[in-house]
Amino acid sequence: MNHLVPMPVVMPLLGAALTLMLAGRPRAQRWVSLTVLTATVVVSALLLIRSTVDGPLVVEVGGWVAPLGIVLVADQLAALMLVVSASVTLCVLVYSIGQGMADGDEETPLSVYHPTYLVLTAGVCNAFLSGDLFNLYVGFEILLVASYVLLTLGSTETRIRAGTTYVVVSLLSSMIFLVAIGLVYSATGTLNLAQLVDRLDALPDDLRLVLQGMLLLAFGIKAAVFPLSAWLPDSYPTAPAPVTAVFAGLLTKVGVYATIRTETLLFPGGRTADLLLWVAGLTMLVGILGAVAQSDIKRLLSFTLISHIGYMLFGVGLTTSLGLAAAIFYVVHHITIQTTLFLAAGLVERRGGSTALDRLGGLARLSPLLAVLFFVPALNLAGIPPFSGFLGKLGLVQAGVDDGGPLAWGLVAAGLVTSLLTLYAIARVWNLAFWRAPHADMPTATGRADDAEQPYEDPAAGQSGVMLPKLMIGSTAALVVFGLALTVVAGPLFDISTDAADDLLQRTPYVEAVYPEGTP
């Protein structure tokens, strides 16, 4: 089964090349993209099953023996991230196809969109599978270059301005990461993660702390943790709805994944644990206070995205098996739910003509299905029982209580406050956008808000943007069901997260998979 390890990277890259050659043939591009991402989901699921049974799967690319060659490693954590990310990207692709067909491809020009989207997918998968720091950097750069193109689709002034900010911040984080890689190689003579385990342990503590701090700074910018998160609310909401959704669901989580991988594998012992806990608490509270102050759904969701990154750092900072397992579980939950909410926000914008709360109203009556598609993941994000959001937060709270330290208790309190404020923010969106009477400028079934008593039945209204394309509705509904499935399979999923956390903390399974005869 090891030969399948590179496939989540290779298949999207080949698909990108093929869709680029098929420019001008949108139907063929769509089928290639759908086939490639479906195959990626299947392969990722197989890798998760085999890594759970047999341990980490390793491939030395090109037959070059580690550490000279590139190593791809699919352990339980990487495989789990692959399954979730591939499933989400597939659903978002279907959504974007529906939007493109309804809009005449004005928002997502197909000749550019599909190759770039597949390259982005390849970059994300490469980052998850990377077995050395430089290849992790390459994965980041692949996805970032693709994201620059996707963020500026349509070439409007707002998108170009937001894209410029995003490019500057991304280049800064990449430069810091590259400098950190150079320092690591200068100090140890290798960038292979398994080999770094022994060599970093042999370095003086102060030098290790400097290297650790550099990597945390680079990953913190990419993950949008406070105070390195000011760029995100101004960048993500300006992009087309499917682009915003995949960015919110995946790109920040790649930074979180890199933090989890390096903190457990390369820098065990918790020297930065207190710093991570402080950053986690501030990220939670500042992010959610920003969300409460917003009057636009997309910006509000962008701030909740920042806020809930704090929950993941909370679990990492505890440096315990339960804390790390809960963090992994919460990453899986948040990728799914945050993506779903941004897709639902795109539907709200299409149905109501805006995402500004002061221009919306009555959506629960005008479009009951849209109301359900927003309401269910919104409750999940807020952590209402028995959804997966509640279960993930419960695991983090239990881990904090088990730790028993004053800082851990402070994070438990911050997490509870953040959860309540998330519920308040979501309830505010529901009351203003869905529950109250329609705004005078909103399109309705008959085209006028004062006719809102009329039933939502007019098929011809689709020409004015009132009717919602079936593909957009279906893909959003699929992600809502996927989010509910996380609650149904929460027990097995938490078991996988716990096994992954134990392997990360032990470090031995990863190292022995890459170097069965011992590290050189």
Side-chain angles (χ1 to χ4, degrees), residues 101-175:
M101 293 172 65
D103 294 341
D105 299 328
E106 294 175 358
E107 288 291 307
T108 53
L110 292 175
S111 60
V112 176
Y113 180 78
H114 286 275
T116 310
Y117 191 83
L118 290 174
V119 169
L120 177 78
T121 304
V124 171
C125 294
N126 185 67
F128 289 147
L129 291 170
S130 177
D132 66 84
L133 282 179
F134 188 77
N135 195 39
L136 178 61
Y137 170 80
V138 171
F140 272 118
E141 292 308 296
I142 292 173
L143 68 91
L144 288 174
V145 169
S147 68
Y148 301 154
V149 178
L150 293 173
L151 190 63
T152 55
L153 286 177
S155 301
T156 63
E157 180 182 353
T158 303
R159 289 178 185 172
I160 295 297
R161 186 185 301 114
T164 301
T165 302
Y166 179 76
V167 168
V168 171
V169 173
S170 298
L171 288 177
L172 175 62
S173 66
S174 295
M175 182 182 67

Side-chain angles (χ1 to χ4, degrees), residues 296-297 345 348-360:
D296 182 271
I297 296 176
V348 168
E349 185 173 25
R350 190 174 192 88
R351 181 63 186 87
S354 174
T355 54
L357 292 175
D358 58 357
R359 299 178 64 84
L360 293 171

Side-chain angles (χ1 to χ4, degrees), residues 181-190 196 199-200 203-204 207 211:
I181 288 173
L183 294 175
V184 169
Y185 187 79
S186 177
T188 63
T190 185
L196 281 172
R199 297 198 179 184
L200 284 173
L203 294 180
L207 179 56
L211 299 177

Side-chain angles (χ1 to χ4, degrees), residues 44 52 58 150 163 165 204 215 243-244 257 273 297 306 316 384 400 413 418 427 438:
S44 300
T52 302
V58 180
L150 293 173
T165 302
L215 291 173
V243 175
T244 302
Y257 168 85
I297 296 176
I306 295 170
V316 178
I384 301 299
T418 300

